[in-house]
């Protein structure tokens, strides 16, 4: 029903930057919010940032506040994640998420659609 395609992952040194993009297609009228989750090997999938499509509130995990910036282009059904001052602990698979309704960062089990993921690797 909704397809999500991420891009922008890669490998950079600590202190560097990356910009992720996610384009949504299909029945996008059903989507209230979009955002990003990440999952490191052996760890739970955790929310990073959520934005209400078309304006409104933005929510960040404490671990990325002041370093990551989420934004969106509602007309293009696209969400971005600008990641600055990256740290080795940011290394993970990053997944785009779309949700019928969300206010704040939801548990991963409440996400309605997932992208296939884009890998981010930060070297020390």
């Amino acid at each position: 029903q909704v397809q999500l395609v991420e891009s922008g992952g890669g490998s950079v040194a600590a202190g560097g930057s990356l910009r992720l993009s996610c384009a949504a297609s299909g029945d996008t009228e059903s989507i209230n919010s979009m955002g990003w989750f990440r999952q490191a090997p052996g760890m739970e999938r955790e929310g990073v940032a959520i934005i209400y499509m078309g304006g409104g509130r933005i929510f960040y995990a404490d671990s990325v506040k002041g370093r990551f910036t989420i934004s969106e282009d509602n007309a293009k059904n696209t969400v971005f994640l600008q990641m600055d001052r990256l740290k080795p602990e940011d290394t993970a698979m990053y997944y785009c998420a779309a949700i019928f309704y969300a206010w704040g960062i939801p548990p991963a089990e409440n996400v309605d659609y997932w992208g296939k993921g884009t890998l981010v690797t930060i070297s020390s």
Side-chain angles (χ1 to χ4, degrees), residues 48-62:
V48 175
I50 291 289
I51 189 167
Y52 182 87
M53 303 299 288
R57 290 293 305 275
I58 292 170
F59 303 91
Y60 294 102
D62 287 344

Side-chain angles (χ1 to χ4, degrees), residues 2-5 22-26 28 31 34 53 76-79 96 98:
V2 175
Q3 295 78 234
L4 304 173
V5 179
C22 175
S25 61
T28 57
I31 298 171
M34 294 180 65
M53 303 299 288
K76 296 181 179 179
N77 296 308
T78 301
V79 65
C96 184

